[in-house]
Amino acid sequence: MSLQASLKKGKKYINVIPTDEAGFGKMIPILREYMGNKAENTPKKQLGPFKTDVSIYDTPPENGLRITWVGHSSILIEIDGKRILTDPVWGERASFSKYFGPKRFFEPPIALSDLPPLDAVLLSHDHYDHLDKNTIKFFAGTSIPFYCSIGVGPYLAQWGILRNFITEMDWGDSVLVGNEIVITSTPSRHFSGRGIVNRNETLWASFVIKGPNHNIYFGADSGWSPSFAEIGEAFGPFDLTMLEVGAYGKYWADIHMGPDHASNAHIALKGKLMMPIHYGTFNLAPHAWYEPVERLEKYAKDKKISLFVPEPGKPTDVKAAYNSAWWKKFM
């Protein structure tokens, strides 16, 4: 089964099904939703500090698959002998400015300079909470391959990534990392743009990461979509699905799933273990900072889903169901 390539209408990429992107026409209702919201959007207690024991990287994962969740959608994946970093955001704010915009709840548990050698960096789309200019600049001039959605490459080149090490991917495209790991770009239901004038002129995507022994799925940002079942049929089952559970609201159900639809996506993908991402790091939506993962616990129990929930910054082998319940000590 082959997945369709991306779709465009004029200069703009479009989703596989009609999608309400909660654009400018929804700004006033969204602001009202925020202003009327009484939830603990930002933690009352300081989260962390979390600290990665980098000596762990000296020893390969016991069964070949280990995850370090840095926060939000930034994940260091060790899979079958290779290391892949997804949507790296080390900045203090998910914003175009260092002075205002959503501020992270805890410091990155590992410094960029302390990361182990990387085999690839994977970028799903160009939103500020997934593509951070100063983080990318840290890698300028290195020989680490960057794999990104169509249109994101020019940002990387502008910030110092060598063009020979940038590969833009359309939905359905595959690349080989180290002759053994196959990364395939797959559809997601979202949107793009880093400013007012360039909305949807770059692509957004999810990714299948398949090694000789493990098969995992990085969902990045997406609303519920029939693509999940298609991806599950074409590439599943998955040892691990990494799916967004945070940043949902009344007016953006089409572009962010929340824990209910994310758990449904895991089932559609034929996943074995589900790891929640895109939560507990930035205040991006009108819900309590801990609500997404708390709700996910309930849905997982009801739907008989095995969760994999590591603590921020703790390298954790992916073997069986595991829930660190890290957030509960800060509630």
Side-chain angles (χ1 to χ4, degrees):
M1 177 180 179
S2 61
L3 296 173
Q4 69 178 72
S6 60
L7 306 168
K8 286 185 99 169
K9 189 173 182 180
K11 293 170 60 178
K12 309 284 188 181
Y13 289 96
I14 59 175
N15 285 291
V16 296
I17 56 175
T19 297
D20 181 354
E21 299 169 5
F24 298 116
K26 294 285 179 70
M27 289 305 293
I28 292 177
I30 288 171
L31 285 171
R32 284 180 182 149
E33 186 182 17
Y34 267 102
M35 292 169 67
N37 169 51
K38 304 298 182 185
E40 188 183 330
N41 305 102
T42 300
K44 293 177 181 175
K45 297 180 183 177
Q46 174 63 50
L47 303 193
F50 304 105
K51 185 69 175 173
T52 301
D53 180 0
V54 295
S55 69
I56 292 173
Y57 300 126
D58 295 335
T59 305
E62 185 180 334
N63 73 335
L65 183 60
R66 185 164 59 200
I67 294 290
T68 307
W69 182 53
V70 179
H72 204 55
S73 297
S74 302
I75 309 162
L76 177 59
I77 300 167
E78 296 173 90
I79 178 170
D80 297 343
K82 300 299 176 186
R83 295 193 183 103
I84 300 167
L85 183 63
T86 67
D87 288 356
V89 174
W90 260 250
E92 185 179 21
R93 296 182 186 273
S95 171
F96 59 87
S97 171
K98 63 181 180 180
Y99 300 108
F100 55 88
K103 188 177 181 180
R104 62 186 313 131
F105 299 153
F106 56 88
E107 290 295 314
I110 180 172
L112 285 167
S113 57
D114 289 334
L115 285 170
L118 300 175
D119 296 287
V121 175
L122 202 54
L123 297 163
S124 62
H125 64 298
D126 68 5
H127 283 157
Y128 288 97
D129 58 324
H130 295 258
L131 180 64
D132 180 57
K133 179 179 179 179
N134 287 330
T135 302
I136 299 300
K137 280 187 167 185
F138 173 83
F139 298 104
T142 68
S143 58
I144 301 167
F146 276 69
Y147 302 103
C148 62
S149 299
I150 296 175
V152 176
Y155 289 115
L156 306 182
Q158 181 183 342
W159 300 335
I161 305 302
L162 301 175
R163 291 185 183 274
N164 287 350
F165 295 102
I166 300 170
T167 302
E168 294 191 352
M169 301 176 70
D170 195 359
W171 295 342
D173 287 348
S174 295
V175 295
L176 199 58
V177 178
N179 297 321
E180 287 190 318
I181 307 295
V182 179
I183 298 176
T184 303
S185 173
T186 46
S188 65
R189 187 185 183 197
H190 201 54
F191 69 109
S192 67
R194 292 172 72 82
I196 296 173
V197 298
N198 65 344
R199 193 176 178 95
N200 293 346
E201 292 183 9
T202 65
L203 187 60
W204 49 94
S206 59
F207 296 94
V208 172
I209 305 170
K210 183 173 176 56
N213 301 313
H214 294 93
N215 188 32
I216 63 177
Y217 175 80
F218 173 62
D221 280 4
S222 182
W224 171 257
S225 163
S227 295
F228 290 116
E230 294 170 4
I231 294 166
E233 191 64 33
F235 298 98
F238 292 101
D239 300 301
L240 180 72
T241 67
M242 294 164 278
L243 293 163
E244 61 136 83
V245 298
Y248 50 86
K250 178 179 177 181
Y251 297 101
W252 45 52
D254 285 4
I255 52 175
H256 285 295
M257 288 187 286
D260 188 6
H261 285 310
S263 53
N264 292 338
H266 169 80
I267 294 168
L269 287 161
K270 302 180 181 178
K272 296 174 184 176
L273 295 173
M274 176 185 173
M275 177 181 166
I277 62 173
H278 206 271
Y279 79 102
T281 314
F282 295 105
N283 175 9
L284 299 173
H287 56 66
W289 68 271
Y290 54 79
E291 182 183 289
V293 69
E294 285 274 300
R295 289 180 59 195
L296 179 64
E297 284 185 314
K298 178 182 181 299
Y299 288 125
K301 183 178 179 181
D302 293 344
K303 300 174 187 180
K304 297 179 172 54
I305 292 172
S306 296
L307 295 180
F308 179 77
V309 191
E311 177 183 311
K314 185 174 182 180
T316 307
D317 285 22
V318 181
K319 296 190 240 180
Y322 169 69
N323 184 359
S324 67
W326 67 270
W327 67 93
K328 293 184 185 290
K329 68 181 76 170
F330 301 104
M331 290 174 61

